[in-house]
Amino acid sequence: MLQNRSIGTPRRADEIPRARPSATLFRGLARSRGILATALLLAALPVFVRSAAAQTAAATGRITGIAVDSANNRPLVGVQVTVSGTRLGAVTGDDGRYTISGVPAGRYTIGARRLGFRAVSAPGVTVAAGGTVTADLRLDAVGLTLEAVVTTGVVDPTSGTRVPFTVGRVDAENAPVPATNAIETIQGKVAGVTVVPSGQPGSGTSILLRSPTSINKSTAPLIVVDGVILSQSFGASTADLESMDIESMEVVKGAAAASLYGSRAAAGVIQIRTKRGSNLAEGTTRVTARSEMGSNSLNGKIDWAQYHYYMTNAQGQYVNAAGAVVQRAQRVPKPITSRFQDSPYSDPIYDQVDRFFDPGQFFKNSINIAQNGGRTNWLLSLVNAKEDGVVLNSGKFEQNNVRLNLDHRLRDNLTLGFSGYHSRSDRQELYGDTFFDLINQAPDVDLRVPDPDGTPYLIQGDPNEGREENPLYVLATEENNRKRARTQGS
């Protein structure tokens, strides 16, 4: 159904309704008041901003200083200086100086780092409100570390990220304090490596990579020093290595180690490289002297039995089965049904471990001379070590080492190299049952009493009970020294 709609026509100007004069006046006044309020707010805003900025400046301080090279005290440019716990920082200029403003009052640690230098920090920098504190920084130069190149277990040197097996590497920089046994340097630094050191001076170290692979064959890894396999025919071969001479060690676990060294490396391989003069800047000679000394100690006190299971009377005297008082040599044990070790000794008792253990001292002196003359570089190392045993007057160890590494470049594509090492050591051996015999000694026997035969120690405190001999007596009457010389070169 169609509907008719009419289209309206616009009104004439004279027909449009006009606002009343009073309404127009009110609108104008409101508009004027809004403009006036905005103007007043804009005029007062700088005052508020200056007041807030003044309060902030009063609650903060500045840190300034200079960063220099510790070797020559020259200013360093481009050092990034940061304030710990904040996002504040600065970069040193051409004169090595920096300024950090707006630091909230408090105590901070200032850090600094720059490419080619070791990062340093200055703890305990206190910033006072409205004050300026000076924090000068000294940076040590350090060589840049490039991507590791693996040479152990591969035919050609290969980038560490492209090797299909795991290779652990420990450099001399990762071991600033050398271990007594050189192989112990990798302990805790390479995953999957178990190192069990021996307590006797001059003993070798037991090494296990990953897990045992045999129950009747050796599971020790193959050790290669400067391309020469370290012979283990005489045992304790790792004691002949000098930790001060080592530059780096690479550890390859699993069958990958057999790719170059065959079945002997089935349990893994440890590749050791010694220091050479080529690591120095050309035209540089470096002399390094080091002396160490110390003493041995027990980690804790060992508690020993202080009671016995022999028959005694009310006064604690030894008695026989009839109840008669007897001497110590004639004492008898309690009946089997009541044989408990709960009767205190009436005689003085001794701490056998304390009387047996000797906190001997150890000394180690070494000197290294290295030079890089451009075409020829060399290193000479001399080491003297002496360590007292942990057993009274027994178990001493003394060692003298000398190493010479020489490289000469005949032409740009031809270099001759020589590595030579000689070691001499002398160790007082302890017989195998030394500590087993110690724990079988009665606590009321003085092991340091002279024996009737003139020996400085008693041979046996309880000869009628089948106890073992006094270990001190055995060590004083037997002479068993291991003297060894090792020469190795390539």
Side-chain angles (χ1 to χ4, degrees):
M1 179 176 182
L2 298 177
Q3 294 182 358
N4 296 326
R5 295 183 181 179
S6 61
I7 300 176
T9 57
R11 296 182 181 182
R12 296 195 305 269
D14 54 342
E15 295 179 355
I16 298 176
R18 295 181 180 180
R20 297 178 182 179
S22 58
T24 304
L25 177 62
F26 290 150
R27 291 195 193 98
L29 292 176
R31 188 177 300 109
S32 300
R33 285 196 297 269
I35 295 174
L36 179 61
T38 303
L40 293 176
L41 179 61
L42 293 177
L45 183 60
V47 178
F48 294 148
V49 171
R50 286 195 297 269
S51 177
Q55 294 178 0
T56 303
T60 60
R62 293 195 311 167
I63 302 176
T64 184
I66 184 173
V68 299
D69 189 342
S70 61
N72 49 31
N73 291 326
R74 292 182 179 178
L76 295 176
V77 60
V79 178
Q80 296 181 354
V81 184
T82 58
V83 181
S84 65
T86 70
R87 295 185 177 182
L88 302 176
V91 179
T92 59
D94 295 337
D95 57 353
R97 295 190 174 277
Y98 71 94
T99 299
I100 304 176
S101 303
V103 182
R107 191 179 182 89
Y108 300 95
T109 297
I110 308 302
R113 61 177 60 246
R114 183 181 185 273
L115 187 64
F117 290 83
R118 183 176 287 106
V120 298
S121 60
V125 177
T126 302
V127 179
T132 300
V133 61
T134 301
D136 295 335
L137 304 168
R138 298 174 62 86
L139 283 72
D140 298 329
V142 63
L144 299 179
T145 302
L146 303 179
E147 184 180 5
V149 175
V150 176
T151 59
T152 304
V154 293
V155 177
D156 297 320
T158 307
S159 171
T161 59
R162 300 177 60 185
V163 176
F165 49 86
T166 303
V167 177
R169 181 181 175 89
V170 178
D171 298 326
E173 295 181 355
N174 304 127
V177 180
T180 304
N181 190 296
I183 296 297
E184 297 176 9
T185 305
I186 63 177
Q187 186 174 11
K189 298 180 176 65
V190 178
V193 177
T194 303
V195 179
V196 181
S198 176
Q200 185 177 357
S203 298
T205 299
S206 176
I207 310 170
L208 181 63
L209 306 183
R210 298 177 66 180
S211 59
T213 57
S214 176
I215 60 175
N216 58 357
K217 294 182 180 180
S218 175
T219 58
L222 186 68
I223 301 177
V224 182
V225 183
D226 290 335
V228 179
I229 297 176
L230 185 67
S231 175
Q232 301 182 11
S233 302
F234 304 101
S237 60
T238 58
D240 296 334
L241 299 176
E242 176 52 47
S243 56
M244 292 291 296
D245 296 342
I246 293 180
E247 177 185 355
S248 65
M249 288 191 290
E250 291 182 355
V251 181
V252 180
K253 295 165 285 187
S259 60
L260 284 183
Y261 302 102
S263 59
R264 291 178 297 179
V269 62
I270 299 178
Q271 175 76 271
I272 299 177
R273 290 178 177 83
T274 57
K275 298 178 180 179
R276 316 186 80 86
S278 57
N279 296 329
L280 303 178
E282 187 172 338
T284 302
T285 301
R286 183 179 63 191
V287 179
T288 304
R290 181 185 179 95
S291 294
E292 299 179 41
M293 64 176 300
S295 61
N296 303 308
S297 61
L298 292 175
N299 288 334
K301 182 179 176 60
I302 301 177
D303 296 327
W304 293 90
Q306 300 181 4
Y307 300 89
H308 63 85
Y309 54 84
Y310 297 97
M311 298 181 62
T312 59
N313 56 19
Q315 290 75 31
Q317 298 173 314
Y318 294 114
V319 297
N320 55 18
V325 177
V326 296
Q327 298 297 323
R328 183 182 184 280
Q330 287 78 38
R331 61 185 179 178
V332 295
K334 298 177 182 178
I336 192 66
T337 56
S338 60
R339 189 173 297 175
F340 297 99
Q341 198 169 343
D342 56 356
S343 299
Y345 286 96
S346 59
D347 299 328
I349 58 177
Y350 304 92
D351 187 345
Q352 305 294 18
V353 174
D354 181 65
R355 299 175 67 82
F356 187 81
F357 175 76
D358 180 27
Q361 298 180 340
F362 66 87
F363 305 90
K364 189 173 186 178
N365 303 304
S366 63
I367 180 171
N368 293 346
I369 305 175
Q371 184 183 70
N372 187 351
R375 302 186 67 88
T376 304
N377 62 80
W378 55 272
L379 178 139
L380 177 64
S381 173
L382 303 172
V383 180
N384 170 259
K386 182 179 181 181
E387 185 172 357
D388 297 332
V390 296
V391 179
L392 187 64
N393 299 327
S394 301
K396 296 181 179 180
F397 176 72
E398 185 172 0
Q399 187 176 23
N400 295 283
N401 304 327
V402 58
R403 174 177 291 278
L404 176 62
N405 291 344
L406 175 65
D407 297 308
H408 179 68
R409 188 171 69 251
L410 297 177
R411 302 188 321 183
D412 292 341
N413 58 352
L414 180 60
T415 301
L416 297 180
F418 169 78
S419 296
Y421 175 75
H422 182 73
S423 172
R424 287 182 177 271
S425 61
D426 185 3
R427 187 181 78 162
Q428 293 180 347
E429 297 283 333
L430 302 179
Y431 69 97
D433 295 335
T434 301
F435 296 96
F436 178 79
D437 293 348
L438 172 65
I439 64 176
N440 280 280
Q441 303 301 318
D444 62 338
V445 175
D446 188 359
L447 299 180
R448 296 190 179 185
V449 174
D451 195 78
D453 63 359
T455 307
Y457 305 109
L458 184 68
I459 182 174
Q460 200 169 22
D462 294 305
N464 297 330
E465 297 184 8
R467 293 183 181 269
E468 304 294 338
E469 298 90 346
N470 181 2
L472 297 179
Y473 177 90
V474 178
L475 295 174
T477 55
E478 293 183 357
E479 183 176 354
N480 184 12
N481 284 24
R482 187 200 70 185
K483 296 184 179 181
R484 183 162 65 184
R486 180 188 291 271
T487 302
Q488 187 169 329
S490 62

